[in-house]
Amino acid sequence: MAHNSGNGLVHLLAITSLLIALLGGAKAVVVCGIDSAKLNLCHAAVTGKHPPKPNEKCCAVVRHANLPCLCKYKSFLPALGINPTNALALPRKCGLKTPPKCRVA
């Protein structure tokens, strides 16, 4: 049981760090292989009902990401203003295979 609460704390700390960085309150942090300062490169491709295709700069960020790691945070995406369906489609749109656990239920 203590192991699960430890994992929850790690996830909470990671999300808190990411939120602080995204809101400009800290220097960039690296989460799952992505420098938070580069997340904005994919903003258009993950927001709204009909987002544009990701551009090459966004796909470069996605290619360097640890996708299975990022999947662990998919439930937090709406709090960041990110459409989970759009975000989880990025790997496929960038020519990568989406990890099985990353699919939106």
Side-chain angles (χ1 to χ4, degrees):
M1 197 176 248
H3 185 265
N4 286 340
S5 64
N7 282 342
L9 180 59
V10 170
H11 285 197
L12 179 61
L13 290 173
I15 292 298
T16 301
S17 298
L18 182 60
L19 285 172
I20 290 169
L22 289 173
L23 297 174
K27 292 182 180 180
V29 295
V30 177
V31 177
C32 299
I34 297 179
D35 182 329
S36 63
K38 294 182 180 181
L39 289 175
N40 197 41
L41 295 172
C42 293
H43 185 263
V46 297
T47 55
K49 286 187 177 187
H50 304 287
K53 291 181 181 179
N55 60 33
E56 186 52 40
K57 289 181 180 182
C58 171
C59 286
V61 171
V62 173
R63 282 187 205 101
H64 286 94
N66 178 337
L67 296 177
C69 174
L70 284 174
C71 292
K72 295 176 186 176
Y73 301 103
K74 67 183 176 184
S75 64
F76 295 102
L77 295 176
L80 300 172
I82 297 171
N83 179 313
T85 302
N86 296 345
L88 297 174
L90 279 180
R92 181 183 44 78
K93 290 181 178 181
C94 291
L96 301 170
K97 187 174 182 179
T98 302
K101 293 184 180 180
C102 268
R103 296 192 174 94
V104 178

